[in-house]
Amino acid sequence: MGWFSRTTDDSPEGQELTAARKALATDPVNRGDLGHVDIDSPEAQANLAAQDRVARAEQAYRNR
């Protein structure tokens, strides 16, 4: 097993993890731009989907 860096990993799993984290970081709910939002709102549902994407990407990254 070779050395790798999580910040420069160019595997498909690493690329997806980076993309998922960037998507979550730019989410207005996550940044707090919208204040408190109702869980049933479209913005909250998009945030939950982004969080789920990060969780799946982290799991795929660990399982590779």
Side-chain angles (χ1 to χ4, degrees), residues 25-49:
T26 60
D27 186 276
V29 175
N30 197 54
R31 289 191 326 250
D33 293 347
L34 303 178
H36 296 287
V37 294
D38 183 61
I39 193 68
D40 295 323
S41 70
E43 294 86 3
Q45 293 300 313
N47 181 266
L48 291 172

